[in-house]
Amino acid sequence: MSTSVGHGRHEVPEEAAPPQGIWAEFKDAVALRTVALIVGVLLLQLGFVLSYVGAFHAPTPKNIPLAVVSSSAQASDQVAAQLNVITGTPLRATVVTDRETAERQIRNGELSAALLVDPQGTADTLLTSSGGGVSVSGAVTSVIDQVEAAQKRTVTVTDIVPLQGGDGRGLTGFYLVIGWLVGGYLVASLLGVAAGARPATPRRAWFRLIAIVPYAIVSGLGGALIVDQVLGALTGHFMSLWWLGALLVASAAAATMAFQVLFGVIGIGITVLVFVVLGNPSAGGAYQTTLLPPFWRALSNALPNGAGTDAVRRIVYLGSNGITGHLVVIAIYAVAGAAVAIAGSHLIQRRSLRADGTQALA
């Protein structure tokens, strides 16, 4: 009895795939969508440089509100007229009847400074408000120094709204606002990355928005605690700062959710464009809006960055005067962002149901 074994049979090796060219391998490794995202990142990077350098490279005062006060009406009118025709119009001078009125308007933020002119002598006084803006105060002082020197007069500067001891250069409020906004758009981005940039259903969109509320409240509380009780940088306005912070965080988070619903992952890039590339340099932190170029000056009060920064400044130093408009702007971002996120999620769900129905019929 013999057994035959097929020693002569051999496995035919599979045919190897033909080698790809370098360009084909590159296209296989780097998808077109990835290239588009990389180009988007590059544009954001260049936009960041352009926006920050464009806003800060040559700060120039423009129409800074200043009062002229003198016991002589003729002297007041004459000095105000001289200040208003300075090349480049760095100041917008108006006549005020007395020092008390000028000080009150400086303390409530209507004026940035006041020049008290002595018609009988050559020694004048400049009232400023570093709390209303260090860069503005410095710019006004520089302009008035030059004008007084040209007329062989002297001027003494008195800061009637000084900065708090822990608020170096008056930048604490700006960084506080930026911290709140960063937290807002990061938490919304995290929710999107973790469970899809576009909520699958309107209910999920509602859940995300509801989750933002306690985060915003705790975030506002944490920021106010740090600048007040922990560091003593901005003291005496804890509750106002807390709820302003909560509103800012909610506005950034809701706006980010809206961008994500409308544009998917690209919405995060749009958020960075709005809040970082455009919002930060126009916020009036390092340089207040009256020293920024026209484009950034126009953006300032239209974005939560600028509205929030000036609101903090006015709460802490200017008796909360003039913050209503800022609160309205910030609230619009929160409400409109939430509305767009919900409406967009409804549209996405409808499209998904239509697509499923079409596939079923096919």
Side-chain angles (χ1 to χ4, degrees):
M1 188 173 188
S2 63
T3 306
S4 63
V5 180
H7 291 292
R9 299 173 63 184
H10 300 283
E11 294 286 338
V12 178
E14 293 183 4
E15 186 176 345
Q20 291 181 310
I22 294 177
W23 177 242
E25 287 188 44
F26 177 81
K27 288 194 295 182
D28 184 58
V30 182
L32 182 61
R33 183 172 182 272
T34 303
V35 173
L37 290 174
I38 291 173
V39 171
V41 170
L42 176 62
L43 292 177
L44 276 179
Q45 171 192 324
L46 297 178
F48 182 95
V49 175
L50 174 62
S51 186
Y52 278 71
V53 177
F56 298 150
H57 76 290
T60 305
K62 186 73 173 179
N63 293 325
I64 298 175
L66 172 140
V68 177
V69 181
S70 177
S71 59
S72 166
Q74 182 179 1
S76 296
D77 292 338
Q78 183 178 1
V79 171
Q82 291 174 346
L83 295 177
N84 284 329
V85 296
I86 297 174
T87 302
T89 60
L91 304 176
R92 187 179 75 247
T94 56
V95 174
V96 173
T97 56
D98 54 67
R99 175 171 180 160
E100 289 73 20
T101 302
E103 287 194 8
R104 184 178 67 254
Q105 293 183 359
I106 291 173
R107 294 183 191 281
N108 65 24
E110 294 179 50
L111 295 173
S112 294
L115 180 62
L116 311 181
V117 179
D118 181 2
Q120 306 300 324
T122 60
D124 300 328
T125 301
L126 178 65
L127 306 180
T128 63
S129 168
S130 59
V134 173
S135 62
V136 170
S137 177
V140 172
T141 301
S142 178
V143 172
I144 295 299
D145 279 342
Q146 295 177 34
V147 171
E148 295 279 300
Q151 297 179 354
K152 301 188 184 305
R153 300 177 67 87
T154 60
V155 62
T156 301
V157 179
T158 302
D159 188 355
I160 64 170
V161 187
L163 294 172
Q164 293 190 9
D167 187 15
R169 298 293 299 168
L171 290 172
T172 301
F174 169 67
Y175 289 118
L176 175 62
V177 168
I178 298 309
W180 277 326
L181 293 175
V182 167
Y185 63 71
L186 282 182
V187 73
S189 300
L190 180 62
L191 289 171
V193 170
R198 289 172 168 154
T201 64
R203 179 177 293 183
R204 287 193 179 183
W206 276 109
F207 285 160
R208 291 187 188 182
L209 289 169
I210 291 171
I212 285 170
V213 174
Y215 178 87
I217 293 172
V218 173
S219 181
L221 172 62
L225 281 172
I226 289 171
V227 299
D228 193 337
Q229 279 80 3
V230 177
L231 299 178
L234 299 176
T235 61
H237 305 275
F238 176 78
M239 293 299 295
S240 297
L241 293 180
W242 176 1
W243 292 108
L244 173 64
L247 182 60
L248 281 165
V249 174
S251 71
T256 302
M257 280 193 60
F259 288 136
Q260 287 178 312
V261 168
L262 293 176
F263 305 106
V265 176
I266 296 174
I268 297 176
I270 297 175
T271 299
V272 172
L273 173 65
V274 172
F275 288 100
V276 179
V277 175
L278 298 176
N280 287 354
S282 65
Y287 296 106
Q288 281 72 64
T289 54
T290 47
L291 279 80
L292 295 176
F295 174 75
W296 289 269
R297 191 184 315 137
L299 282 179
S300 184
N301 291 331
L303 294 175
N305 308 58
T309 298
D310 196 51
V312 170
R313 185 179 293 123
R314 289 177 176 275
I315 287 170
V316 176
Y317 294 109
L318 304 175
S320 296
N321 292 293
I323 68 169
T324 302
H326 295 324
L327 296 179
V328 169
V329 168
I330 299 167
I332 286 174
Y333 276 83
V335 174
V340 169
I342 296 299
S345 66
H346 276 283
L347 291 176
I348 292 169
Q349 186 181 48
R350 287 182 184 178
R351 289 179 182 175
S352 177
L353 292 174
R354 287 176 184 173
D356 291 343
T358 301
Q359 291 175 359
L361 290 173

